[in-house]
PDB file of all heavy atoms in Angstrom:
ATOM      1  N   GLU A 486      -8.581  54.316  -9.535  1.00 87.00           N
ATOM      2  CA  GLU A 486      -7.309  53.682  -9.858  1.00 87.00           C
ATOM      3  C   GLU A 486      -6.388  54.644 -10.597  1.00 87.00           C
ATOM      4  O   GLU A 486      -5.186  54.684 -10.324  1.00 87.00           O
ATOM      5  CB  GLU A 486      -7.571  52.433 -10.697  1.00 87.00           C
ATOM      6  CG  GLU A 486      -6.348  51.525 -10.845  1.00 87.00           C
ATOM      7  CD  GLU A 486      -5.377  52.023 -11.893  1.00 87.00           C
ATOM      8  OE1 GLU A 486      -5.850  52.540 -12.911  1.00 87.00           O
ATOM      9  OE2 GLU A 486      -4.161  51.886 -11.690  1.00 87.00           O
ATOM     10  N   GLN A 487      -6.936  55.437 -11.541  1.00 88.00           N
ATOM     11  CA  GLN A 487      -6.094  56.413 -12.249  1.00 88.00           C
ATOM     12  C   GLN A 487      -5.558  57.487 -11.293  1.00 88.00           C
ATOM     13  O   GLN A 487      -4.387  57.855 -11.356  1.00 88.00           O
ATOM     14  CB  GLN A 487      -6.873  57.087 -13.383  1.00 88.00           C
ATOM     15  CG  GLN A 487      -6.852  56.341 -14.699  1.00 88.00           C
ATOM     16  CD  GLN A 487      -7.848  55.207 -14.719  1.00 88.00           C
ATOM     17  OE1 GLN A 487      -8.906  55.311 -14.101  1.00 88.00           O
ATOM     18  NE2 GLN A 487      -7.529  54.134 -15.399  1.00 88.00           N
ATOM     19  N   PHE A 488      -6.417  57.962 -10.390  1.00 91.00           N
ATOM     20  CA  PHE A 488      -5.976  58.994  -9.448  1.00 91.00           C
ATOM     21  C   PHE A 488      -4.895  58.449  -8.508  1.00 91.00           C
ATOM     22  O   PHE A 488      -3.873  59.106  -8.274  1.00 91.00           O
ATOM     23  CB  PHE A 488      -7.171  59.508  -8.641  1.00 91.00           C
ATOM     24  CG  PHE A 488      -8.075  60.424  -9.414  1.00 91.00           C
ATOM     25  CD1 PHE A 488      -9.227  59.942 -10.026  1.00 91.00           C
ATOM     26  CD2 PHE A 488      -7.777  61.773  -9.547  1.00 91.00           C
ATOM     27  CE1 PHE A 488     -10.058  60.785 -10.743  1.00 91.00           C
ATOM     28  CE2 PHE A 488      -8.612  62.632 -10.265  1.00 91.00           C
ATOM     29  CZ  PHE A 488      -9.757  62.132 -10.868  1.00 91.00           C
ATOM     30  N   ALA A 489      -5.123  57.260  -7.961  1.00 90.00           N
ATOM     31  CA  ALA A 489      -4.144  56.692  -7.034  1.00 90.00           C
ATOM     32  C   ALA A 489      -2.828  56.399  -7.749  1.00 90.00           C
ATOM     33  O   ALA A 489      -1.742  56.693  -7.228  1.00 90.00           O
ATOM     34  CB  ALA A 489      -4.712  55.414  -6.418  1.00 90.00           C
ATOM     35  N   SER A 490      -2.911  55.810  -8.953  1.00 91.00           N
ATOM     36  CA  SER A 490      -1.702  55.479  -9.687  1.00 91.00           C
ATOM     37  C   SER A 490      -0.928  56.736 -10.069  1.00 91.00           C
ATOM     38  O   SER A 490       0.295  56.799  -9.918  1.00 91.00           O
ATOM     39  CB  SER A 490      -2.071  54.681 -10.940  1.00 91.00           C
ATOM     40  OG  SER A 490      -0.941  54.437 -11.739  1.00 91.00           O
ATOM     41  N   ALA A 491      -1.645  57.752 -10.555  1.00 91.00           N
ATOM     42  CA  ALA A 491      -0.968  58.980 -10.979  1.00 91.00           C
ATOM     43  C   ALA A 491      -0.280  59.669  -9.810  1.00 91.00           C
ATOM     44  O   ALA A 491       0.874  60.112  -9.926  1.00 91.00           O
ATOM     45  CB  ALA A 491      -1.981  59.923 -11.630  1.00 91.00           C
ATOM     46  N   MET A 492      -0.946  59.770  -8.662  1.00 93.00           N
ATOM     47  CA  MET A 492      -0.318  60.442  -7.521  1.00 93.00           C
ATOM     48  C   MET A 492       0.880  59.640  -7.016  1.00 93.00           C
ATOM     49  O   MET A 492       1.904  60.232  -6.628  1.00 93.00           O
ATOM     50  CB  MET A 492      -1.334  60.641  -6.399  1.00 93.00           C
ATOM     51  CG  MET A 492      -0.744  61.377  -5.214  1.00 93.00           C
ATOM     52  SD  MET A 492      -1.980  61.892  -3.998  1.00 93.00           S
ATOM     53  CE  MET A 492      -0.901  62.583  -2.733  1.00 93.00           C
ATOM     54  N   ALA A 493       0.778  58.305  -7.019  1.00 92.00           N
ATOM     55  CA  ALA A 493       1.913  57.505  -6.570  1.00 92.00           C
ATOM     56  C   ALA A 493       3.103  57.667  -7.504  1.00 92.00           C
ATOM     57  O   ALA A 493       4.252  57.775  -7.047  1.00 92.00           O
ATOM     58  CB  ALA A 493       1.494  56.036  -6.473  1.00 92.00           C
ATOM     59  N   VAL A 494       2.866  57.680  -8.812  1.00 92.00           N
ATOM     60  CA  VAL A 494       3.962  57.851  -9.767  1.00 92.00           C
ATOM     61  C   VAL A 494       4.588  59.237  -9.623  1.00 92.00           C
ATOM     62  O   VAL A 494       5.833  59.388  -9.591  1.00 92.00           O
ATOM     63  CB  VAL A 494       3.454  57.627 -11.199  1.00 92.00           C
ATOM     64  CG1 VAL A 494       4.499  58.065 -12.227  1.00 92.00           C
ATOM     65  CG2 VAL A 494       3.098  56.166 -11.407  1.00 92.00           C
ATOM     66  N   LEU A 495       3.783  60.286  -9.523  1.00 93.00           N
ATOM     67  CA  LEU A 495       4.323  61.636  -9.369  1.00 93.00           C
ATOM     68  C   LEU A 495       5.082  61.771  -8.053  1.00 93.00           C
ATOM     69  O   LEU A 495       6.118  62.452  -8.003  1.00 93.00           O
ATOM     70  CB  LEU A 495       3.194  62.664  -9.445  1.00 93.00           C
ATOM     71  CG  LEU A 495       2.470  62.780 -10.797  1.00 93.00           C
ATOM     72  CD1 LEU A 495       1.442  63.900 -10.759  1.00 93.00           C
ATOM     73  CD2 LEU A 495       3.461  63.004 -11.937  1.00 93.00           C
ATOM     74  N   ALA A 496       4.568  61.131  -6.983  1.00 92.00           N
ATOM     75  CA  ALA A 496       5.275  61.199  -5.706  1.00 92.00           C
ATOM     76  C   ALA A 496       6.636  60.514  -5.809  1.00 92.00           C
ATOM     77  O   ALA A 496       7.649  61.043  -5.307  1.00 92.00           O
ATOM     78  CB  ALA A 496       4.423  60.543  -4.618  1.00 92.00           C
ATOM     79  N   ARG A 497       6.718  59.378  -6.441  1.00 92.00           N
ATOM     80  CA  ARG A 497       8.013  58.716  -6.607  1.00 92.00           C
ATOM     81  C   ARG A 497       8.960  59.560  -7.449  1.00 92.00           C
ATOM     82  O   ARG A 497      10.173  59.581  -7.202  1.00 92.00           O
ATOM     83  CB  ARG A 497       7.823  57.341  -7.248  1.00 92.00           C
ATOM     84  CG  ARG A 497       7.217  56.289  -6.341  1.00 92.00           C
ATOM     85  CD  ARG A 497       7.286  54.900  -6.958  1.00 92.00           C
ATOM     86  NE  ARG A 497       6.752  53.877  -6.055  1.00 92.00           N
ATOM     87  CZ  ARG A 497       6.836  52.563  -6.264  1.00 92.00           C
ATOM     88  NH1 ARG A 497       7.415  52.115  -7.391  1.00 92.00           N
ATOM     89  NH2 ARG A 497       6.344  51.692  -5.389  1.00 92.00           N
ATOM     90  N   SER A 498       8.398  60.238  -8.432  1.00 92.00           N
ATOM     91  CA  SER A 498       9.263  61.018  -9.321  1.00 92.00           C
ATOM     92  C   SER A 498       9.921  62.196  -8.615  1.00 92.00           C
ATOM     93  O   SER A 498      10.958  62.687  -9.066  1.00 92.00           O
ATOM     94  CB  SER A 498       8.450  61.519 -10.522  1.00 92.00           C
ATOM     95  OG  SER A 498       7.507  62.501 -10.114  1.00 92.00           O
ATOM     96  N   ILE A 499       9.360  62.657  -7.503  1.00 91.00           N
ATOM     97  CA  ILE A 499       9.968  63.758  -6.743  1.00 91.00           C
ATOM     98  C   ILE A 499      10.617  63.254  -5.446  1.00 91.00           C
ATOM     99  O   ILE A 499      10.943  64.061  -4.567  1.00 91.00           O
ATOM    100  CB  ILE A 499       8.930  64.844  -6.407  1.00 91.00           C
ATOM    101  CG1 ILE A 499       7.781  64.263  -5.591  1.00 91.00           C
ATOM    102  CG2 ILE A 499       8.400  65.484  -7.693  1.00 91.00           C
ATOM    103  CD1 ILE A 499       6.770  65.317  -5.123  1.00 91.00           C
ATOM    104  N   GLY A 500      10.797  61.920  -5.311  1.00 90.00           N
ATOM    105  CA  GLY A 500      11.553  61.380  -4.205  1.00 90.00           C
ATOM    106  C   GLY A 500      10.761  60.967  -2.980  1.00 90.00           C
ATOM    107  O   GLY A 500      11.351  60.723  -1.926  1.00 90.00           O
TER     108      GLY A 500
END
Side-chain angles (χ1 to χ4, degrees):
E486 192 280 323
Q487 273 80 33
F488 285 97
S490 175
M492 182 170 176
V494 169
L495 294 184
R497 287 190 178 189
S498 69
I499 59 175

